[in-house]
C-alpha cells in the first residue's frame, strides 16, 4: 500500500528529541518538459568543449569559474542526504577537521518559469495515500523551497537539466554552511564572499562531494577566552567545509520498531490513518543494512554463519600515530563476535586508510572513518548518520581526540593502581595504553552500530563477583561495554585479578542487543509482525538472563543506572573503592615523579583525579536514599515498573555517608602531597564535597520524593522523610549529646545542615545571586504542597532548644562561638515574634505547652 510520508522526527535520544529532519510528500511538478522556456540555451553553448567534466550522481561541469550540475530526470523527487563536515578549522576552535556540522534531507523538483527547485525536509507525519486523512496530512506539511535554479540547458540524450550551482554553493545558506550556533561559538558575523570559493567538486556513483573555503568576519568578544587567534590577528576566520550529497536508496530498508528494553538510538514520526482513534508514534531503531549475499541464502536459511553483502568497514585516519592503529582496529573487530550471534561473520572490519588511493577522500560519505584530532580535549565519540525514512545507518565518522590517553591514564592509575603494577607510573607501556585505547574504540564503535549507553549493565554483577578471578575471566566486571563501568576498582590486591577482570569488554548484553537489532527473519513478516516477535523475544530473554537488562543513560532516581559505578551494592563497592584509594594515596609522590627534573604538576593532576574518584563513590551511594527502581515492562510481563529502594539499603547508605563524609577523611589530607602541590586546597575541596552532600541529602527534591513514595506507593515500612531527617540530625549533632568540642570540619558540616534546613523552611529568602535564587525557587516548587517545610520547621525548633541548653555549658571557646552563631541564625529565621507559642509532644505522648519560648526542648 502506498503511503505519503511527510517528514519525520529524527535522532530520538529518548531523554528528549535531539534533532528534527524531514521526508517529502509525493507531490510532483508538471510533466517532463512543461516548464522549459525559450531562453534555455543549447547544451553545447553552456557546457562547451573546454568544460572539465566528471560523471557520477550528478554530472559536474567546470566551465571557467562556474560549476554546473547536470540533474537527470530520474533523480528528480529522489531523496538526498546532505552531510556537512569540517575539513579544516581555525586554531583554538573547539571543532576539528572531520567533525560533523549538520545533516539535512533534500530533493530537487521541476518548478514553473524554467526553474529547478531545491526543497528541504522539515515535517513529521505519515498517512496511507488511500486514506482520506492523507489529504489533511499533506495540506498541513508544506516543505520549504530553499533555492530556485534557472535551467540553463537540457541534455536531451540523457534527459537531464543543467543548472548553475556556483553562487548557491558560495552563499551563506542553511544547507551548506555553518549553523547559527557554530557562528555564535566562533563569534562570526557575515560571509566574506570575495575571500570564499569552491575548492573542488568530486562526483561518484551515489554521492557528490563539495569542498569549499569560507571566510567570515569575526567580532572580538569581551570574554577573551572566546576569541580565536585568527580573529584577533586579522578580524576574519577561515574554515574549510565538505558537503556530501548522498543518494538515499530508492526502496528504504525495512524498519525495526524500537523497544525501550533494548538500548538503540531511534527516529520517529507520527502516523495517521482513517481507522485510528488516536495518532500513532512510529519509532524505529538505527542500524546498518546487513543482508546475506544471494549465493549464501541457502546457508543462512540453514543457520550457518554467512558474510553480509556489504560489510561495515571503518578506516583509520592516516593522521593516527602508527603504533596505536592496530589497537584501534582490534577495538573495531571485537564486534565481529557480537554479529556472529546475529548470523553474520566478518560483518565489521577495521582497516588502515589506503593512502596511495587518490580517488578516496576522508570526507567522502561513502566511507566510515575513525578521525584522529590533534586536540588537548580528553574525549572520543561515535556518531551515526541515518536514512531518515528507515533508520538505516549510512556511515559514521568516529571522533578520536589525541589527549583521551591522558584521561585513560589517570582513570587507570587511580582505579587500578592498587592491583596492577603497570599502572604505577606516568607513562604507561605501549601494550597497556594500547589495551586502554582498544577498550574505548570498542565502546565508540558500539554507538556507531546504533547502541546507546547502558548505565545499568554494571548492576548485573554482584559485588562479591568483582573479587572472583575465575568468574571475572569468564564474564568480565560488567555485562556491557556500553556502560561507563571503566575499571574494576573493587578488586583487592590479594584477589590476583588479571587484566581481563579489570578492563571492560564486549559482554552478554552487547552480543544480545546486536542479535536483537540485526537478526533477520525468514518469511514475509510485516514490520508490525516483527515487532510482536521481537517484543516476546525481549521479554523471554531478559527474564532468563538478568544480565541482558538495559538500564538507559541514567534514569532520574534509579540507583542501578549510574555512570562509573560497579556492582549491585554501591555501599560495599564504595567501601572497597575507598580502601584502594587509601592504599595508593601514600604512593602518589613516588608514582608521579619518575625523573629528578619533574615538578609536581603530575602529582597535583593525579591527586585531583583521586578526589574526583572519592566524590564518585559518595555520589553512587547517595542515589540509594530516596531511590526508585524503574524497570520498563510490557503488559504481558507483569510486575511493577516502579519499586522503591528498601529502607534497609537506604539506612546503610546513610551510615556510609556518616563514615566517609560526615567525619573528615583525613587519609586524603596526606601532608607529603599537600606540602608539594602548587595550591593545597584539599581542605576546601573536601569541605565542598561535604557541603554538596548535605545539600543533596536535604534537598527539597529528595525529601518530597521520599514523602511521595511513602504516601502513594503504600509499601510496607517505607523510609519516611521525617524519620530520615531525624537520623541525619542525630549524626550531625552528636557532639551536643556529650558536650564535646566540635572540630573545624564538623563545624562546617553543622553550618551546612542549618543552611539547608533554613532553605527548606523558607525558600523565598535566598541569600546570594541568581543561582541561589533559582535553586531556592526550585526548592519552593518541589516542597510547596508537601510536608517537607513542616518537617524542616519542627527540626529547627528542636535544634534551637538544644543549642540554648548546650551553649552555657560549652567549654571549648570556638565551639561555643560556633553554636551561638547558629543559634542566632535560627532565632532570626523562626524568632519568637513569629512563634510565640510552641507545642511539642514529650515521650509520654501528653500534649504540653511552653509559653514564650522559655522552656527546654
Amino acid at each position: 500500500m502506498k503511503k505519503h510520508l511527510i517528514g519525520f522526527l529524527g535522532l530520538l535520544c529518548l531523554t528528549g528529541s535531539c534533532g528534527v529532519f524531514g521526508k517529502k510528500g509525493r507531490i510532483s511538478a508538471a510533466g517532463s518538459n512543461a516548464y522549459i522556456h525559450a531562453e534555455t540555451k543549447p547544451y553545447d553553448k553552456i557546457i562547451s568543449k573546454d568544460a572539465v567534466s566528471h560523471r557520477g550522481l550528478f554530472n559536474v561541469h567546470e566551465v571557467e569559474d562556474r560549476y554546473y550540475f547536470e540533474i537527470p530526470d530520474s533523480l528528480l523527487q529522489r531523496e538526498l542526504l546532505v552531510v556537512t563536515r569540517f575539513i579544516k578549522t581555525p586554531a583554538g576552535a573547539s571543532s576539528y577537521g572531520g567533525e560533523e556540522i549538520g545533516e539535512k534531507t533534500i530533493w530537487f523538483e521541476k518548478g514553473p518559469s524554467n526553474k529547478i527547485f531545491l526543497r528541504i525536509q522539515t515535517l513529521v507525519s505519515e498517512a496511507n495515500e488511500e486514506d482520506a486523512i492523507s489529504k489533511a496530512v499533506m495540506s498541513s506539511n508544506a516543505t520549504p523551497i530553499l533555492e530556485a535554479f534557472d535551467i540553463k540547458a537540457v541534455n536531451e540524450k540523457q534527459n537531464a537539466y543543467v543548472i548553475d550551482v556556483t553562487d548557491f554553493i558560495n552563499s551563506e545558506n542553511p544547507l551548506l554552511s555553518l549553523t547559527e550556533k557554530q557562528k555564535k561559538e566562533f563569534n562570526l558575523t557575515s560571509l566574506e564572499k570575495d575571500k570564499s570559493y569552491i575548492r573542488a567538486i568530486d562526483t561518484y556513483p551515489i554521492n557528490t562531494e563539495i569542498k569549499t573555503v569560507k571566510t567570515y568576519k569575526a567580532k572580538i568578544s569581551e570574554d577573551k577566552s572566546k576569541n580565536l587567534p585568527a580573529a584577533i590577528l586579522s578580524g576574519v576566520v577561515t574554515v574549510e567545509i565538505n558537503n556530501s550529497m548522498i543518494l538515499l536508496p530508492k526502496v528504504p530498508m525495512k524498519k525495526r520498531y524500537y523497544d525501550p528494553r533494548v538500548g538503540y538510538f531511534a527516529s520517529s514520526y507520527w502516523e495517521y490513518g482513517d481507522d485510528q482513534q488516536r495518532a500513532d508514534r512510529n519509532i524505529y531503531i538505527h542500524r546498518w543494512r546487513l543482508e546475506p549475499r544471494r549465493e549464501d541464502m541457502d546457508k543462512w536459511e540453514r543457520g550457518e554463519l554467512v558474510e553480509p553483502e556489504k560489510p561495515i568497514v571503518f578506516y583509520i585516519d592516516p593522521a593516527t600515530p602508527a603504533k596505536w592503529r592496530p589497537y584501534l582496529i582490534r577495538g573495531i573487530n571485537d564486534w565481529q563476535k557480537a554479529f556472529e550471534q546475529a548470523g553474520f561473520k566478518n560483518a565489521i572490519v577495521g582497516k588502515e586508510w589506503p593512502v596511495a588511493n587518490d580517488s578516496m577522500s576522508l570526507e567522502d560519505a561513502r566511507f566510515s572513518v575513525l578521525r584522529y584530532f590533534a586536540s588537548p580535549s580528553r574525549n572520543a565519540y561515535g556518531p551515526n548518520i541515518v536514512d531518515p525514512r528507515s533508520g538505516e545507518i549510512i556511515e559514521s565518522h568516529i571522533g578520536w581526540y589525541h589527549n583521551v590517553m591522558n584521561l585513560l591514564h589517570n582513570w587507570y592509575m587511580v582505579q587500578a593502581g592498587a592491583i596492577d603494577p603497570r599502572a604505577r607510573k606516568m607513562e604507561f607501556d605501549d601494550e597497556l595504553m594500547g589495551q586502554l585505547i582498544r577498550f574505548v574504540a570498542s565502546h565508540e564503535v558500539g554507538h556507531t552500530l546504533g547502541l546507546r549507553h547502558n548505565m545499568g549493565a554494571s548492576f548485573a554483577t554482584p559485588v562479591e563477583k568483582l573479587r572472583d578471578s575465575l568468574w571475572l575471566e569468564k564474564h568480565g566486571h560488567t555485562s556491557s561495554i556500553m556502560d561507563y563501568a571503566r575499571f574494576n576498582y573493587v578488586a583487592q590486591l590479594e584477589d590476583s585479578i588479571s587484566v581481563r577482570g579489570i578492563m571492560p569488554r564486549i559482554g552478554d548484553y552487547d552480543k544480545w542487543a546486536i542479535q536483537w537489532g540485526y537478526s533477520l527473519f525468514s518469511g514475509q513478516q510485516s514490520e508490525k509482525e516483527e515487532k510482536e516477535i521481537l517484543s516476546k523475544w525481549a521479554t523471554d530473554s531478559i527474564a532468563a538472563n538478568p544480565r541482558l537488562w538495559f538500564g538507559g543513560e541514567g534514569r532520574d532516581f534509579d540507583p542501578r543506572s549510574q555512570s562509573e559505578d560497579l556492582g549491585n551494592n554501591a555501599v560495599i563497592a564504595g567501601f572497597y573503592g575507598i580502601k584502594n584509594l587509601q592504599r595508593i594515596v601514600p604512593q602518589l609522590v613516588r608514582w608521579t615523579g619518575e625523573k629528578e627534573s619533574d615538578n609536581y604538576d603530575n602529582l597535583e593532576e593525579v591527586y585531583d583525579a583521586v578526589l574526583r574518584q572519592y566524590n564518585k563513590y559518595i555520589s553512587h551511594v547517595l542515589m540509594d536514599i530516596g531511590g526508585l527502581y524503574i524497570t520498563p515492562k510490557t503488559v504481558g510481563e507483569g510486575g511493577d515498573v516502579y519499586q522503591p529502594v528498601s529502607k534497609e539499603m537506604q539506612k546503610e547508605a546513610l551510615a556510609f555517608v556518616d563514615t566517609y563524609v560526615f567525619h573528615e577523611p583525613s587519609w586524603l589530607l596526606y601532608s607529603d602531597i599537600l606540602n608539594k602541590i602548587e595550591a593545597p586546597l584539599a581542605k576546601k575541596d573536601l569541605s565542598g564535597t561535604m557541603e554538596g552532600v548535605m545539600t543533596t541529602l536535604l534537598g527539597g527534591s529528595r525529601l518530597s520524593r521520599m514523602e511521595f513514595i511513602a504516601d502513594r506507593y503504600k509499601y510496607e515500612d517505607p523510609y519516611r522523610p521525617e524519620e530520615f531527617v531525624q537520623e541525619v540530625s542525630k549524626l550531625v549533632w552528636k557532639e551536643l549529646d556529650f558536650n564535646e568540642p566540635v572540630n573545624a570540619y564538623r563545624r562546617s558540616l553543622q553550618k551546612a545542615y542549618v543552611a539547608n534546613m533554613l532553605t527548606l523552611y523558607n525558600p523565598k529568602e535566598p541569600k546570594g545571586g541568581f543561582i541561589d535564587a533559582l535553586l531556592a525557587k526550585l526548592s519552593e516548587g518541589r516542597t510547596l504542597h508537601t510536608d517537607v517545610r513542616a518537617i524542616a520547621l519542627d527540626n529547627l525548633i528542636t535544634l534551637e532548644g538544644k543549642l540554648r541548653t548546650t551553649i552555657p555549658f560549652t567549654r571549648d571557646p570556638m565551639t561555643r562561638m560556633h553554636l551561638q552563631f547558629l543559634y542566632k541564625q535560627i532565632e532570626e529565621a523562626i524568632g519568637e515574634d513569629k512563634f510565640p507559642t510552641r507545642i511539642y509532644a514529650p515521650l509520654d505522648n501528653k500534649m504540653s505547652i511552653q509559653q514564650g519560648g522559655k522552656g527546654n526542648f
Side-chain angles (χ1 to χ4, degrees):
M1 182 177 290
K2 292 184 179 179
K3 291 185 176 181
H4 286 306
L5 185 55
I6 316 294
F8 86 107
L9 189 62
L11 188 55
L12 190 69
C13 276
L14 303 170
T15 52
S17 297
C18 295
V20 177
F21 312 92
K23 184 175 180 5
K24 73 176 189 315
R26 299 295 182 181
I27 307 171
S28 60
S32 61
N33 290 311
Y35 299 131
I36 306 303
H37 290 189
E39 61 264 35
T40 301
K41 295 182 179 179
Y43 182 81
D44 58 0
K45 295 294 184 182
I46 300 297
I47 309 303
S48 66
K49 294 181 180 179
D50 296 329
V52 178
S53 301
H54 304 278
R55 297 189 177 279
L57 175 67
F58 304 125
N59 289 344
V60 176
H61 308 282
E62 184 179 356
V63 182
E64 296 179 350
D65 60 348
R66 310 299 295 179
Y67 286 87
Y68 297 89
F69 279 6
E70 193 172 310
I71 303 177
D73 189 70
S74 60
L75 288 183
L76 295 178
Q77 302 268 332
R78 286 289 302 273
E79 288 95 342
L80 300 159
L81 188 65
V82 180
V83 181
T84 301
R85 297 185 184 279
F86 288 111
I87 301 174
K88 294 182 181 179
T89 57
S94 57
S95 299
Y96 301 90
E99 291 194 290
E100 184 183 345
I101 295 173
E103 56 188 272
K104 293 179 174 65
T105 305
I106 65 167
W107 74 91
F108 291 96
E109 68 176 33
K110 288 181 189 175
S113 305
N114 196 34
K115 302 287 187 183
I116 292 289
F117 290 157
L118 186 158
R119 287 188 183 263
I120 190 166
Q121 295 284 20
T122 58
L123 307 176
V124 292
S125 313
E126 180 188 80
N128 288 327
E129 187 179 57
E130 297 173 4
D131 286 356
I133 197 173
S134 65
K135 299 181 179 65
V137 170
M138 294 185 69
S139 64
S140 62
N141 286 285
T143 52
I145 298 172
L146 181 63
E147 187 71 10
F149 299 95
D150 290 329
I151 297 175
K152 299 296 185 180
V154 177
N155 185 336
E156 299 289 352
K157 294 181 180 179
Q158 301 294 327
N159 198 18
Y161 309 96
V162 178
I163 60 174
D164 186 340
V165 296
T166 313
D167 294 334
F168 176 67
I169 293 174
N170 274 329
S171 70
E172 180 71 354
N173 63 75
L175 183 64
L176 306 179
S177 304
L178 301 183
T179 65
E180 289 301 318
K181 180 180 178 181
Q182 286 157 337
K183 287 193 290 184
K184 185 177 180 180
E185 179 184 342
F186 293 163
N187 285 324
L188 307 181
T189 56
S190 58
L191 182 70
E192 298 277 81
K193 291 187 177 180
D194 60 330
K195 303 180 186 73
S196 304
Y197 59 94
I198 300 172
R199 201 181 80 187
I201 301 180
D202 300 307
T203 190
Y204 305 96
I206 64 166
N207 61 306
T208 296
E209 306 291 325
I210 303 168
K211 293 178 172 60
T212 57
V213 175
K214 292 186 183 291
T215 302
Y216 293 86
K217 284 186 178 178
K219 60 184 179 181
I220 303 300
S221 171
E222 293 181 2
D223 184 352
K224 294 182 180 180
S225 65
K226 294 183 178 180
N227 293 323
L228 297 176
I232 297 172
L233 291 172
S234 63
V236 297
V237 169
T238 299
V239 296
E240 293 190 29
I241 293 174
N242 187 90
N243 310 107
S244 296
M245 292 187 171
I246 313 161
L247 180 66
L248 294 175
K250 195 167 189 176
V251 178
M253 182 184 73
K254 190 176 186 179
K255 294 192 289 288
R256 178 152 294 182
Y257 282 108
Y258 173 77
D259 188 318
R261 297 169 297 172
V262 192
Y264 274 86
F265 292 108
S267 298
S268 71
Y269 56 81
W270 288 102
E271 190 171 26
Y272 295 91
D274 288 357
D275 295 330
Q276 292 174 327
Q277 294 192 13
R278 67 175 183 181
D280 294 324
R281 194 179 186 192
N282 191 325
I283 309 176
Y284 47 98
I285 68 170
H286 295 174
R287 57 181 183 145
W288 295 79
R289 187 193 293 249
L290 290 184
E291 298 169 340
R293 297 182 297 188
R294 291 183 180 180
E295 60 269 28
D296 291 336
M297 287 302 296
D298 290 341
K299 293 181 181 178
W300 177 77
E301 290 280 359
R302 293 195 300 268
E304 297 179 27
L305 291 179
V306 297
E307 293 191 356
E309 180 74 30
K310 183 180 179 183
I312 304 165
V313 178
F314 273 94
Y315 292 98
I316 306 300
D317 189 336
T320 306
K323 65 180 177 180
W324 306 133
R325 295 175 198 171
Y327 295 102
L328 291 168
I329 289 174
R330 288 175 207 161
I332 296 166
N333 292 344
D334 281 342
W335 284 96
Q336 290 180 358
K337 57 188 175 184
F339 280 102
E340 288 176 3
Q341 288 198 188
F344 295 101
K345 62 181 179 181
N346 301 322
I348 182 168
V349 181
K351 295 181 178 182
E352 294 213 28
W353 183 262
V355 290
N357 190 341
D358 294 335
S359 66
M360 292 176 63
S361 166
L362 289 168
E363 289 78 30
D364 188 333
R366 292 178 300 169
F367 307 116
S368 293
V369 182
L370 187 149
R371 295 300 302 265
Y372 200 91
F373 305 141
S375 167
S377 297
R378 306 189 301 174
N379 194 21
Y381 64 89
N384 52 61
I385 305 299
V386 302
D387 181 342
R389 306 164 304 171
S390 64
E392 178 185 353
I393 299 173
I394 304 298
E395 59 98 9
S396 174
H397 276 48
I398 298 171
W400 190 278
Y401 296 76
H402 178 74
N403 216 29
V404 72
M405 289 185 287
N406 175 245
L407 184 65
L408 290 169
H409 171 276
N410 292 348
W411 279 346
Y412 199 73
M413 176 178 277
V414 169
Q415 295 174 26
I419 60 174
D420 187 351
R422 300 178 303 165
R424 300 168 186 171
K425 53 186 178 180
M426 287 308 299
E427 186 170 340
F428 288 168
D429 295 340
D430 286 354
E431 176 60 25
L432 174 56
M433 182 55 70
Q435 289 174 309
L436 298 174
I437 286 172
R438 176 179 179 176
F439 136 61
V440 176
S442 289
H443 176 93
E444 300 308 338
V445 169
H447 287 314
T448 71
L449 302 176
L451 299 181
R452 294 159 54 203
H453 288 128
N454 183 2
M455 298 305 187
S458 55
F459 189 85
T461 302
V463 174
E464 62 268 20
K465 295 301 183 184
L466 294 169
R467 300 187 60 191
D468 184 335
S469 60
L470 292 178
W471 195 92
L472 290 168
E473 286 292 321
K474 181 178 180 181
H475 300 284
H477 71 281
T478 176
S479 65
S480 174
I481 203 166
M482 302 314 298
D483 196 352
Y484 275 177
R486 313 307 190 200
F487 309 110
N488 187 351
Y489 57 76
V490 169
Q492 304 293 293
L493 181 61
E494 61 268 23
D495 300 332
S496 301
I497 304 299
S498 75
V499 70
R500 281 181 58 79
I502 300 175
M503 291 193 187
R505 61 183 188 264
I506 292 169
D508 299 359
Y509 167 81
D510 305 310
K511 296 173 185 176
W512 179 75
I514 292 295
Q515 184 181 11
W516 185 92
Y518 284 88
S519 292
L520 302 179
F521 294 91
S522 57
Q524 299 296 320
Q525 294 94 341
S526 68
E527 293 165 355
K528 292 186 177 180
E529 288 171 335
E530 285 190 1
K531 179 182 179 181
E532 295 302 315
I533 297 171
L534 290 164
S535 177
K536 179 68 164 54
W537 186 12
T539 299
D540 294 344
S541 297
I542 297 170
N545 183 1
R547 288 173 61 82
L548 305 184
W549 180 67
F550 171 65
E553 280 83 4
R555 297 193 172 97
D556 288 344
F557 312 121
D558 193 333
R560 300 173 300 176
S561 301
Q562 297 194 67
S563 171
E564 304 189 51
D565 66 331
L566 291 182
N568 62 348
N569 188 312
V571 170
I572 300 175
F575 165 76
Y576 283 121
I578 288 177
K579 192 174 179 180
N580 276 334
L581 290 181
Q582 291 170 337
R583 288 190 176 112
I584 72 169
V585 165
Q587 310 302 325
L588 292 185
V589 174
R590 181 167 56 87
W591 292 359
T592 58
E594 297 171 348
K595 301 175 183 177
E596 290 187 1
S597 59
D598 287 345
N599 56 26
Y600 293 106
D601 289 348
N602 290 338
L603 175 62
E604 184 171 5
E605 180 179 326
V606 175
Y607 181 72
D608 286 344
V610 168
L611 294 179
R612 286 192 294 272
Q613 195 67 31
Y614 161 76
N615 278 304
K616 285 187 176 73
Y617 298 150
I618 304 303
S619 66
H620 295 156
V621 171
L622 287 173
M623 282 288 288
D624 280 327
I625 302 175
L628 191 65
Y629 299 141
I630 306 170
T631 309
K633 292 177 178 287
T634 62
V635 174
E637 285 180 271
D640 294 335
V641 173
Y642 300 97
Q643 183 178 4
V645 175
S646 70
K647 184 176 181 178
E648 180 184 9
M649 178 67 76
Q650 295 185 65
K651 283 177 172 285
E652 288 177 5
L654 182 57
F656 179 93
V657 172
D658 179 46
T659 300
Y660 294 106
V661 181
F662 287 178
H663 294 83
E664 186 172 50
S666 56
W667 57 272
L668 275 170
L669 304 176
Y670 196 71
S671 58
D672 201 30
I673 293 176
L674 301 184
N675 295 338
K676 292 180 174 61
I677 59 179
E678 180 179 351
L681 301 177
K683 280 186 177 291
K684 180 177 184 298
D685 288 342
L686 296 181
S687 294
T689 296
M690 173 269 294
E691 291 167 3
V693 168
M694 188 62 72
T695 300
T696 301
L697 277 177
L698 300 180
S701 173
R702 185 184 305 271
L703 297 177
S704 299
R705 185 168 69 252
M706 294 175 78
E707 180 183 321
F708 180 87
I709 291 171
D711 291 342
R712 302 292 177 87
Y713 287 105
K714 305 299 182 184
Y715 289 101
E716 291 185 12
D717 195 23
Y719 201 18
R720 299 196 62 86
E722 59 269 29
E723 179 184 358
F724 167 68
V725 171
Q726 278 187 348
E727 294 187 351
V728 173
S729 179
K730 288 178 182 178
L731 298 172
V732 171
W733 302 100
K734 286 179 182 178
E735 292 89 346
L736 299 189
D737 294 332
F738 303 98
N739 201 9
E740 294 176 345
V742 184
N743 65 33
Y745 184 87
R746 294 278 294 179
R747 292 197 295 270
S748 295
L749 176 76
Q750 292 171 0
K751 289 186 182 79
Y753 177 91
V754 171
N756 280 279
M757 276 296 164
L758 291 174
T759 299
L760 281 175
Y761 164 59
N762 192 2
K764 292 184 179 179
E765 298 180 4
K767 296 180 180 180
F770 170 76
I771 297 299
D772 287 338
L774 177 61
L775 291 174
K777 188 67 177 175
L778 290 173
S779 180
E780 179 187 19
R782 291 175 179 138
T783 61
L784 188 61
H785 300 295
T786 72
D787 292 326
V788 170
R789 297 174 73 176
I791 294 170
L793 175 60
D794 180 77
N795 188 272
L796 288 167
I797 292 172
T798 302
L799 179 58
E800 184 190 38
K802 206 168 189 178
L803 291 172
R804 187 188 306 117
T805 58
T806 302
I807 290 170
F809 303 100
T810 302
R811 296 181 180 181
D812 180 65
M814 192 65 245
T815 300
R816 178 174 49 79
M817 288 184 277
H818 161 68
L819 297 180
Q820 285 179 160
F821 172 76
L822 295 179
Y823 175 79
K824 186 66 174 176
Q825 272 194 313
I826 298 172
E827 186 183 45
E828 289 176 353
I830 60 168
E832 295 177 5
D833 57 325
K834 296 181 181 179
F835 297 96
T837 301
R838 298 201 177 108
I839 303 174
Y840 73 101
L843 292 177
D844 60 5
N845 291 323
K846 296 178 181 179
M847 296 298 294
S848 67
I849 298 177
Q850 292 289 155
Q851 294 292 333
K854 301 297 184 182
N856 297 331
F857 290 82

